[in-house]
Amino acid sequence: MPDLLIELFSEEIPARMQARAREDLKKLVTDGLVEAGLTYASAGAFSTPRRLALSVDGLTDASKAVKEERKGPRTDAPEKALEGFLRSTGLSKDQLEVRDEKKGQVYFAVVEKPGRPAAEIVAEVLETTIRNFPWPKSMRWGSGTLRWVRPLHSILCILTDEAGAQVVPLEVDGIQSGDSTCGHRFMAPDAFSVTNFDDYAAKLRRAKVMLDPAEREAAIAQEAANLAFARGWEIVEDKGLLTEVAGLVEWPVPLMGAIEERFLALPPEVLQTSMKEHQKFFSARNPKTGRIEGYVTVANIEAADDGQMILAGNQRVLAARLSDGLFFWENDLREAKAGMSDWAEGLKSVTFHNKLGSQADRVARIAALAREIAPLVGADPDQAARAAQLSKLDLRSDMVGEFPELQGVMGRYYALAAGEPEAVADAARDHYSPLGPSDDVPSAPVSVAVALADKIDTLTGFWAIDEKPTGSKDPFALRRAALGVIRLVLGSGGRWHMRDSLWAHIMHQKGVLFWFAEHLDEQGAIVDKENGDENEGRSLAQVILSAVDSGSISERTGVEALSAMEQRLDADNVQEREKIERARASIGQASDLLSFLHDRLKVYLRDQGIRHDIIDAVLAQPGNDDLVLVVNRATALNDMLKTEDGQNLTQGLKRASNILAQAEEKDGVEYSFGADPKFAETEEERALFAALDTAEPAIKAAVASEDFPAAMSAIAALRAPIDAFFDAVQVNTDNQIVRRNRLNLLSRIRAAGREIADFTKVEG
Amino acid sequence: MTSPSSHEKPRCFQDVILRLQNHWAKSGCAILQPYDMEVGAGTFHPATTLRSLGPRPWAAAYVQPSRRPTDGRYGENPNRLQHYYQYQVIIKPSPPDLQELYLDSLRAIGLDPMAHDVRFVEDDWESPTLGAWGLGWEVWCDGMEVSQFTYFQQVAGYDCHPVSGELTYGLERLAMYVLGVEHVMDMPFNDPDSPIPLTYGDIFMQAEREYSRWNFDIADTDMLFQHFKDAEAECERIVSASEADGAGRNILMAQPAYDQAIKASHLFNLLDARGVISVTERADYIRRVRALTKKCADLFMQTPLGQAAE
């Protein structure tokens, strides 16, 4: 049972690629070994900036001999079939066996593959692995043709058993395998040979290389914490940075320094970002002041002066960086205090998307939207609009120019400097949230309004220009924006029928909203003219709100209005016709966007444990553009369906629907009313009549007040009577009057169900 | 072996340069002089751009004055200049010990990797105007970037085979660090004990102020636009000239054509500094310069230098 040790020694491997490379090395080699007939007990992969290593324990000495049989054509088959078979097996005709089968004589190829020694297999597998390694980016060097992440210098490959270590001979592009490697680039550069994994790891350690990245991470975290503790500070945790730094050093030597007093006025986010992005420093916080006051840099060497020179150098670079930062900060604060009008002006020249105008255009749209949404989520409309106007200004600041990841964070500081209220400043920071599915969702009303407006503007904009996500392509992160909308709406509990609003905004994105509103005005559909202004003077929100409120902008009235306009037009009015087409296209785009939101909602709710069929059943109900309503309904339905009553009730409702559907299909009529208890023949029928008489108003009332749990228990009360009815009664009897009456009774059941959901969509 | 005196720290800017020159001369490079045209980086020197093409071995090192009009700060910023020096090394095929040769060059200028923290940090290089890219690192010394280290993979759209190894040192920044100087203008240029000691500022301060003003405010943009068109047209004309010169000689003129591409590139940089190129136009200008470089490279590949030596 030999053990295998592999090391691929190269020039510095990018830190971000190391974790994946370890996994790939392990998988490719062990899969290859297993496929070739070897087995192993365990395997572990390691990396440093200069090496990828793999240790495989308990490998079998050799693969087993195998006998493979393949059935070929019949002996009387055409010559061509035999030729093909010989070609595919690599045998000649006299090597084939002929066996008697039921249908006649058949050729068989029997190939015996002898077992192969592990070394031979390892050499083959490793060469294939090296030549096909899936680096995200690879390169050639010198005059060679091999590709690797950076120049590959040596290959260590040994098999070790009781008798000792054996080099597995292989050669890749002129690099001969061996049993030796080198230590730390500066502290122990000499080559040494190793006999097994333990020997390898121990000798590396002596040569100032910590092989295991997890150990390096732990060492860095521990030492950084100790250094911080000694000064009464604490390290700001940053797992990503820790992994990256551990991938930049073979022998981590953390060193701690203090940030000069003159830089402590910088916001902590700026200090942290600058130190992390430019210098890969960890930030140290003083818990007494709450400020970032120090840093830890991780060197790759034990210098004779205990790193004093290294630290001094780093300190110098940091000072230069932070001087820039301070310069940006002071400049930006001056602009902020002056009202940020230069920045607002600057947004006009920043293109958001060439079909969707500038950032300034976008800000205007978001402000109008935020104002519209504000009352729905309990925010002050003026504050929401103001926050939206401020929300992108920091994109023009020097600081965000230098550190784009500080967008929003800086916006908050500058808004405060400009004397804006906290709620407005917070919204300038938080309106980008949530970004990822695990990000916190803002809860402050003004933040929610602006965050929603920001995302809805993005969605309606890209829908208006037909740039929807397809398959895995989602360059504008629209799925993320949609999930953000869902989480914001649900988190705020804001009640909002968004369908018409989405349509209005898509029309606005396509430049036809004001035009449309004006036409409706002419028809007297919008009465809100109290300001007496021209349309330019009216805010987008006013137009949208008045249109939505008056019902002028809804799919049905919209389509009618557009048709009416079209009929009044002169045949040659191309411009107007084109606008009508744009407005009409918006309708389809709005429903499409709503379905997209529904799809994301399904994914979201599925993660919350609500089945997709339940959501489908609920989405089939009217009012499905009010996401809070949809979720309340779905949750109540989901809860009910977990009970036995719920399960059986569903069966009963579906059975009623099916029988009705068949009968309606056959008779060509819809059974919808007129069931009369006087035609009831059985006790069960009468009981069902009575139960429905009680349940129907209860369900209606509960649904009207959106008390879905109450609606569910009201309908669940029908379970026993429905079951009893189906047990006792044959719906399709010969007596047509009785049959019709029963079908009409079933339609009452169907109608009761439909108050709540489309039960035909519920599975099981 | 380095001489004992070189273990002492350099004392001035030119000492850093001289030590690099010596080191790379000893390492077998031809020490070239700067290219006599305005370029944005040492890579534009035909010794790098053109010579990295084709199969012929090559090894050269040189100082290249580089101009980046947008980086002008009137000499006030301690680290930013519109005119500065790069030290460039280009070796084809890249030797297996290129990293070691490079580290020796740091030792030669007094940066001992046993006392400093020298690191190779991933940084892939790409030049849209040259249609070139490569993989490598920025080299950090105590957290400061002191060099770019690149293995060229493609130049002007051609796969590099063999691959060139390219090193670029930002000389001012490197020297400031070695010499412990905070502001570039304070850096001693020649030996501070010379009869006439000169600082970097003595030599360049006034020039930085003058060029910053000219770059940002004065340069005649109509003229620059016209020059850009002229350079573009001349490049095209040279490239499409017939190989026979009328006196029985066959000469393709890749290098004169490439001069025009360099010129166009620098004119674009000047126009950019004047702020008269919009974001969308930018991409188009870059594309036009890249197209010129590509044509020059195509032509270079047909000249003897682009083919295997006989």
Side-chain angles (χ1 to χ4, degrees), chain A residues 292-580:
Chain A
I292 304 289
E293 295 183 4
Y295 62 87
V296 169
T297 178
V298 182
N300 187 34
I301 197 154
E302 286 171 347
D305 65 352
D306 286 333
Q308 285 316 299
M309 202 143 63
I310 295 171
L311 199 56
N314 276 287
Q315 183 84 27
R316 238 176 83 105
V317 182
L318 178 65
R321 292 287 190 188
L322 295 184
S323 298
D324 283 351
L326 204 57
F327 177 76
F328 297 150
W329 171 241
E330 284 165 358
N331 263 359
D332 289 348
L333 279 183
R334 243 191 319 275
E335 175 62 26
K337 284 174 185 155
M340 304 187 266
S341 53
D342 282 359
W343 291 347
E345 192 59 30
L347 288 183
K348 291 183 185 162
S349 59
V350 181
T351 309
F352 169 62
H353 182 284
N354 58 11
K355 290 182 183 163
L356 297 172
S358 69
Q359 282 285 5
D361 297 332
R362 176 163 147 80
V363 164
R365 290 193 303 262
I366 295 175
L369 261 163
R371 185 182 288 282
E372 179 195 339
I373 294 167
L376 306 169
V377 297
D380 174 64
D382 288 338
Q383 283 201 339
R386 179 72 189 140
Q389 276 153 3
L390 296 174
S391 64
K392 308 292 177 189
L393 290 182
D394 65 344
L395 297 179
R396 297 296 296 173
S397 68
D398 287 350
M399 191 68 86
V400 174
E402 181 73 9
F403 298 112
E405 61 269 54
L406 288 179
Q407 65 177 18
V409 170
M410 299 319 295
R412 177 173 173 280
Y413 284 110
Y414 300 145
L416 287 175
E420 296 291 339
E422 290 270 349
V424 170
D426 285 349
R429 177 188 61 197
D430 296 333
H431 78 282
Y432 292 104
S433 303
L435 287 177
S438 54
D439 274 10
D440 286 343
V441 181
S443 56
V446 178
S447 300
V448 172
V450 184
L452 266 174
D454 180 74
K455 288 161 186 64
I456 287 173
D457 179 68
T458 304
L459 289 167
T460 52
F462 287 104
W463 248 260
I465 60 169
D466 283 322
E467 287 278 358
K468 299 178 284 186
T470 50
S472 61
K473 286 207 188 73
D474 184 8
F476 305 107
L478 299 178
R479 290 194 180 95
R480 198 171 75 180
L483 180 61
V485 168
I486 288 163
R487 294 182 63 207
L488 283 159
V489 169
L490 298 182
S492 70
R495 303 303 305 273
W496 184 28
H497 284 285
M498 57 169 72
R499 186 190 307 267
D500 299 337
S501 203
L502 293 178
W503 180 40
H505 286 291
I506 289 179
M507 276 206 286
H508 184 46
Q509 301 271 13
K510 295 167 92 83
V512 289
L513 178 64
F514 284 96
W515 163 85
F516 184 65
E518 200 174 326
H519 274 275
L520 292 174
D521 267 359
E522 281 167 14
Q523 295 177 22
I526 297 181
V527 286
D528 171 31
K529 270 251 173 184
E530 58 199 51
N531 294 333
D533 289 341
E534 293 301 309
N535 279 314
E536 272 71 18
R538 299 169 59 201
S539 79
L540 170 65
Q542 277 173 310
V543 171
I544 294 171
L545 282 178
S546 55
V548 171
D549 285 351
S550 66
S552 307
I553 294 188
S554 75
E555 240 172 83
R556 195 176 54 77
T557 52
V559 172
E560 282 168 12
L562 287 169
S563 299
M565 269 182 220
E566 199 169 22
Q567 277 166 18
R568 287 201 320 274
L569 274 186
D570 296 336
D572 56 351
N573 198 336
V574 182
Q575 259 191 330
E576 290 284 286
R577 276 184 199 286
E578 199 270 333
K579 282 183 183 168
I580 290 175

Side-chain angles (χ1 to χ4, degrees), chain A residues 14-25 45 47 52 213 243:
Chain A
R16 67 186 169 94
M17 298 179 188
Q18 291 171 23
R20 177 69 198 278
R22 292 194 296 270
E23 288 311 305
D24 286 338
L25 177 66
S47 67
L52 270 182
T243 304

Side-chain angles (χ1 to χ4, degrees), chain B residues 23-136:
Chain B
H23 170 76
W24 288 106
K26 270 187 243 161
S27 308
C29 288
I31 302 300
L32 303 183
Q33 300 305 318
Y35 201 55
D36 59 342
M37 291 188 68
E38 298 142 312
V39 295
T43 310
F44 278 86
H45 196 310
T48 294
T49 315
L50 296 179
R51 295 291 181 149
S52 61
L53 293 164
R56 292 197 182 190
W58 179 249
Y62 53 90
V63 175
Q64 180 62 49
S66 304
R67 299 200 188 209
R68 297 203 174 163
T70 44
D71 279 355
R73 295 292 183 274
Y74 301 86
E76 287 159 17
N77 185 294
N79 305 299
R80 265 189 212 277
L81 301 161
Q82 57 83 40
H83 173 283
Y84 68 106
Y85 289 115
Q86 283 193 346
Y87 197 84
Q88 174 89 357
V89 180
I90 177 93
I91 306 181
K92 178 174 73 174
S94 63
D97 60 347
L98 188 56
Q99 279 187 314
E100 284 309 317
L101 288 174
Y102 169 76
L103 291 168
D104 282 341
S105 77
L106 291 188
R107 292 184 182 104
I109 57 172
L111 289 177
D112 176 7
M114 286 297 282
H116 292 276
D117 186 33
V118 178
R119 230 87 72 66
F120 292 85
V121 180
E122 177 191 16
D123 190 34
D124 302 338
W125 172 81
E126 187 183 12
S127 167
T129 43
L130 293 177
W133 67 276
L135 298 191

Side-chain angles (χ1 to χ4, degrees), chain A residues 11-12 14 16 137 139-140 142-144 150-151 153 185-186 248 278 298-301 309-310 313-314 316-317, chain B residues 93-94 96 99-100 113-115 117 119 122 124 136-137 140 142-144 151 153 160-163 177 181-182:
Chain A
E11 296 178 12
E12 277 75 358
R16 67 186 169 94
K137 268 185 182 173
M139 54 165 274
R140 293 173 289 106
S143 304
R150 292 292 183 274
H153 281 271
R185 187 188 270 289
F186 302 117
L248 286 171
H278 288 144
V298 182
N300 187 34
I301 197 154
M309 202 143 63
I310 295 171
N314 276 287
R316 238 176 83 105
V317 182
Chain B
S94 63
Q99 279 187 314
E100 284 309 317
M114 286 297 282
D117 186 33
R119 230 87 72 66
E122 177 191 16
D124 302 338
W137 312 272
W140 285 18
D142 302 336
M144 186 178 69
Y151 292 101
Q153 300 297 298
C160 297
H161 195 85
V163 166
Y177 188 61
V181 176
E182 299 294 334

